[in-house]
Amino acid sequence: AQSVTQPDIHITVSEGASLELRCNYSYGATPYLFWYVQSPGQGLQLLLKYFSGDTLVQGIKGFEAEFKRSQSSFNLRKPSVHWSDAAEYFCAVGVSNFGNEKLTFGTGTRLTIIP
Amino acid sequence: EAQVTQNPRYLITVTGKKLTVTCSQNMNHEYMSWYRQDPGLGLRQIYYSMNVEVTDKGDVPEGYKVSRKEKRNFPLILESPSPNQTSLYFCASSLRSGLAQVFGSGTQLSVL
């Protein structure tokens, strides 16, 4: 069965520093991969997605992610974080299961930004 | 504005009292689904619907019902809520498949 692992439950980064959030997936076929962000009290917003093609994907808010098949990873990066990036981040893999194409989510990484 | 609207945002109820959480989307999406979010478990799919009158179980359907009589609406029904259904619930929709879904703002449910 498919699964997504986000090994870091909580990360603290200084404002202006670079960020990398880790995501590893387990899925037998070529996956569809997603990163969502959840700001406090808000729903989930799609940051970026990978379906095929270029393995470096650009998203909104200055985020990017790189798909590495050999490592089964889809890590999220940002060169310089802003205080408004404080949120919870979810990696997800899109799978097809008996006609239901659905998202399987990781458990999330909470990002704290310090001044 | 294209969006998924859930109501209510917050709900406190007692064990056994039937409740409905509404979900509506204005994007003419065919696919709609419900998730629950619990600390340390991420989001888990409860039910999904691929079109009007077509619904099916997700990963954690026990204790929930849904209906899809109209394309835009996908209510979540708890016939007899129990405390283990205390959670944050999200409705989501997408154009056809379950990928790249648009999420509502969530409903925080507490069952006492």
Side-chain angles (χ1 to χ4, degrees), chain A residues 52-71:
Chain A
S52 65
D54 193 346
T55 56
L56 185 61
V57 180
Q58 301 297 320
I60 61 171
K61 305 186 180 188
F63 286 93
E64 67 177 26
E66 186 171 13
F67 170 56
K68 292 186 177 180
R69 185 187 302 276
S70 61
Q71 298 177 20

Side-chain angles (χ1 to χ4, degrees), chain A residues 98 100, chain B residues 30-34 45-58 61 64-71 73-77:
Chain A
F98 298 102
N100 174 27
Chain B
E30 292 183 355
Y31 186 102
M32 297 186 74
S33 62
W34 278 101
Q45 191 183 54
I46 303 170
Y47 267 94
Y48 67 95
S49 168
M50 300 190 78
N51 215 324
V52 176
E53 301 291 3
V54 180
T55 64
D56 208 344
K57 298 176 181 178
Y64 304 95
K65 285 176 58 177
V66 293
S67 68
R68 187 90 181 274
K69 294 183 171 58
E70 306 165 283
K71 198 171 189 178
N73 296 323
F74 190 47
L76 179 70
I77 302 157

Side-chain angles (χ1 to χ4, degrees), chain B residues 6-101:
Chain B
Q6 296 178 230
N7 281 295
R9 288 294 303 274
Y10 303 94
L11 180 58
I12 301 174
T13 190
V14 295
T15 299
K17 186 175 181 181
K18 180 180 178 180
L19 67 90
T20 300
V21 184
T22 64
C23 173
S24 179
Q25 51 91 6
N26 62 0
M27 297 167 281
N28 203 37
H29 284 172
E30 292 183 355
Y31 186 102
M32 297 186 74
S33 62
W34 278 101
Y35 293 84
R36 60 177 289 172
Q37 182 182 10
D38 301 290
L41 296 177
L43 283 84
R44 294 176 292 168
Q45 191 183 54
I46 303 170
Y47 267 94
Y48 67 95
S49 168
M50 300 190 78
N51 215 324
V52 176
E53 301 291 3
V54 180
T55 64
D56 208 344
K57 298 176 181 178
D59 298 318
V60 288
E62 293 77 20
Y64 304 95
K65 285 176 58 177
V66 293
S67 68
R68 187 90 181 274
K69 294 183 171 58
E70 306 165 283
K71 198 171 189 178
R72 64 183 292 124
N73 296 323
F74 190 47
L76 179 70
I77 302 157
L78 284 73
E79 294 269 2
S80 183
S82 62
N84 64 12
Q85 292 178 298
T86 292
S87 187
L88 178 58
Y89 291 86
F90 287 102
C91 181
S93 72
S94 54
L95 187 58
R96 287 193 182 81
S97 75
L99 307 177
Q101 295 177 44

Side-chain angles (χ1 to χ4, degrees), chain A:
Chain A
Q2 68 283 349
S3 66
V4 178
T5 302
Q6 294 181 248
D8 303 306
I9 296 173
H10 187 199
I11 284 183
T12 300
V13 177
S14 297
E15 189 168 15
S18 64
L19 171 70
E20 182 168 27
L21 302 182
R22 296 184 291 165
C23 173
N24 292 97
Y25 67 89
S26 173
Y27 184 52
T30 301
Y32 302 123
L33 295 162
F34 305 82
W35 275 100
Y36 281 85
V37 60
Q38 183 181 23
S39 298
Q42 301 297 315
L44 278 76
Q45 181 182 21
L46 181 66
L47 282 176
L48 47 78
K49 60 182 183 281
Y50 171 79
F51 281 11
S52 65
D54 193 346
T55 56
L56 185 61
V57 180
Q58 301 297 320
I60 61 171
K61 305 186 180 188
F63 286 93
E64 67 177 26
E66 186 171 13
F67 170 56
K68 292 186 177 180
R69 185 187 302 276
S70 61
Q71 298 177 20
S72 297
S73 69
F74 190 56
N75 294 349
L76 182 71
R77 301 194 294 248
K78 187 170 184 178
S80 176
V81 298
H82 185 262
W83 64 267
S84 60
D85 293 325
E88 187 146 22
Y89 291 80
F90 292 93
C91 181
V93 58
V95 301
S96 181
N97 183 21
F98 298 102
N100 174 27
E101 292 178 330
K102 72 183 187 92
L103 298 174
T104 295
F105 286 87
T107 52
T109 298
R110 182 173 303 278
L111 175 64
T112 297
I113 308 295
I114 56 176

